[in-house]
Amino acid sequence: MRCLIVGTDRLGAASAVLRQKFGVQEVVHWDGRRKKLPKNFPRDTGLVVVYTGFVNHALMYRVRELARKAGVKVIWLRRGLSEVGVLKNAV
């Protein structure tokens, strides 16, 4: 499964944590500073993680719209993947 991370400037240990918790094989990163809004998600995206503290509203709404159309689950985080441990059972 491919995971799209939206927001933050650097991923740090995000790839390793997502592999361990969700079995993600590939991580694609969109920073929150995009000027041009995306038209589609990368192929085979099964999970989207959005750092809400690091994206503008337009990008956040666009990601939500694309996720609804594609039927992809979205995890909304404020700051970091430490919140994922709490959310693992919800996904």
Side-chain angles (χ1 to χ4, degrees):
M1 169 174 57
R2 180 175 290 158
C3 176
L4 172 65
I5 297 179
V6 181
T8 78
D9 291 328
R10 287 181 258 145
L11 293 180
S15 301
V17 172
L18 290 169
R19 279 190 189 103
Q20 181 183 24
K21 296 226 182 237
F22 297 102
V24 171
Q25 296 167 348
E26 182 182 352
V27 174
V28 178
H29 178 238
W30 291 351
D31 64 14
R33 303 173 194 272
R34 287 179 160 255
K35 301 289 184 205
K36 187 176 179 182
L37 295 178
K39 294 186 180 184
N40 292 313
F41 286 149
R43 284 189 175 193
D44 301 325
T45 300
L47 176 67
V48 178
V49 177
V50 180
Y51 289 89
T52 59
F54 298 95
V55 297
N56 62 37
H57 283 90
L59 181 57
M60 192 166 37
Y61 292 134
R62 183 66 181 155
V63 167
R64 184 177 66 183
E65 177 186 333
L66 290 173
R68 282 185 185 162
K69 286 181 182 178
V72 176
K73 293 182 182 183
V74 180
I75 297 176
W76 303 93
L77 302 173
R78 287 188 181 145
R79 286 287 175 191
L81 283 173
S82 61
E83 299 173 39
V84 173
V86 176
L87 297 174
K88 184 177 189 245
N89 296 330
V91 174

